[in-house]
């Protein structure tokens, strides 16, 4: 993500309901180059099999980046 403010984080994708953001130290933060923040995600499978979701970071620089979270 380019330097700028992270306006919100959210989960999306086919199994997003199986993942929950439990701690988000990034939303509302403005990060300079080299800075970091942490997001904790909890996984609750409910059934066996692969589950996939995308963690989206929406920023003030009008970019959207995703991180695919996959549990097999």
């Amino acid at each position: 993500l380019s330097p700028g403010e992270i306006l919100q984080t959210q989960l999306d994708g086919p199994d997003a309901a199986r993942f929950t953001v439990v701690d988000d130290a990034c939303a509302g933060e403005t990060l300079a180059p080299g800075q970091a923040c942490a997001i904790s995600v909890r996984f609750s499978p409910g059934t066996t099999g692969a589950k996939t979701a995308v963690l989206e970071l929406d920023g003030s620089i009008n970019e959207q980046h995703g991180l695919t979270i996959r549990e097999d």
Side-chain angles (χ1 to χ4, degrees), residues 25-38:
C26 297
E29 292 296 316
T30 300
L31 301 179
Q35 285 188 306
C37 61

Side-chain angles (χ1 to χ4, degrees), residues 17-45:
R18 298 291 174 197
F19 299 84
T20 305
V21 174
V22 293
D23 187 30
D24 183 354
C26 297
E29 292 296 316
T30 300
L31 301 179
Q35 285 188 306
C37 61
I39 301 169
S40 297
V41 177
R42 178 174 290 136
F43 175 58
S44 303

